Amino acid sequence: MTDDSPGQIDPPVVFGRRFAFSDTFRGLFREGMLLVEETAAYLDGDGRAESRDLPRAASLTYATESMRLTTRLMQIASWLLLQRAVNEGEMTFEQAGTEKAKVRLRGFGTLTEGPNWQDLPVRLRELIEHSVRLQERVIRLDDAMYNAANAEEPAENPVSRQLGQLARAFGSGGE
């Protein structure tokens, strides 16, 4: 409670917004952009060569999973770039919220088990697994930032309200 107005509750701290301005966010941003670069280099280089040697079923899985991987990473990168734009004052949090509605962070299923998964090149599997972990972290951060921002104002605490009324009725109490 605040000292100057009994019965009032301090607003909750929105940890997600604070996190977006932290060194930890900058690390997450760098990690995401680096993963995009590593994935592009792999798919254009070693991955292309490795995919030629795969059996037909694994080749189809490779094509499907590499598309899911690049799509997932582009959505993550878009989200990270929006948050960085807010951090750098290029757009408001509300503008980013509107733009982020175009970003799809959920719904990218991926095959991480089964016979064709084991037939995929190890490096592709590592990139996919890393991207899924990064996606989960970004989703948690997105929920913390935007769901907390859209939550209703907290209800007034009835006990605090009554204590405030008592303090006003009987003076400030300790004088």
Side-chain angles (χ1 to χ4, degrees):
M1 287 195 297
T2 59
D3 292 334
D4 52 26
S5 56
Q8 294 295 321
I9 299 173
D10 289 335
V13 175
V14 181
F15 290 105
R17 283 195 192 183
R18 289 193 186 262
F19 178 82
F21 290 96
S22 70
D23 287 337
T24 306
F25 172 78
R26 287 185 280 280
L28 180 68
F29 181 87
R30 282 190 298 275
E31 178 185 349
M33 294 303 136
L34 181 61
L35 186 57
V36 168
E37 290 176 19
E38 288 175 4
T39 299
Y42 170 77
L43 293 175
D44 286 341
D46 293 343
R48 186 171 293 179
E50 291 173 349
S51 69
R52 289 186 196 120
D53 298 331
L54 295 174
R56 183 165 170 73
S59 181
L60 179 60
T61 301
Y62 180 96
T64 302
E65 292 305 321
S66 63
M67 277 236 229
R68 287 178 178 162
L69 172 61
T70 55
T71 302
R72 181 182 308 109
L73 287 175
M74 289 302 102
Q75 296 300 307
I76 291 170
S78 295
W79 189 90
L80 289 168
L81 288 166
L82 279 173
Q83 302 322 308
R84 186 179 74 171
V86 171
N87 295 354
E88 294 179 356
E90 297 170 7
M91 65 179 10
T92 66
F93 182 79
E94 290 71 25
Q95 289 170 324
T98 300
E99 288 299 314
K100 100 167 187 68
K102 301 172 189 171
V103 176
R104 187 170 160 222
L105 294 174
R106 291 174 167 85
F108 294 102
T110 196
L111 174 72
T112 57
E113 55 187 44
N116 291 336
W117 173 255
Q118 293 303 319
D119 292 339
L120 293 177
V122 170
R123 182 64 183 140
L124 179 65
R125 288 184 289 172
E126 290 170 348
L127 290 167
I128 290 169
E129 289 168 346
H130 188 172
S131 74
V132 168
R133 287 190 308 274
L134 182 63
Q135 175 188 20
E136 290 168 354
R137 288 167 47 206
V138 167
I139 287 171
R140 282 193 304 273
L141 179 56
D142 182 73
D143 287 345
M145 291 172 66
Y146 290 95
N147 290 345
N150 295 329
E152 293 181 20
E153 288 292 317
E156 184 182 12
N157 183 331
V159 173
S160 294
R161 185 180 64 239
Q162 289 182 349
L163 287 174
Q165 290 172 345
L166 287 171
R168 283 189 298 279
F170 295 107
S172 60
E175 294 182 33

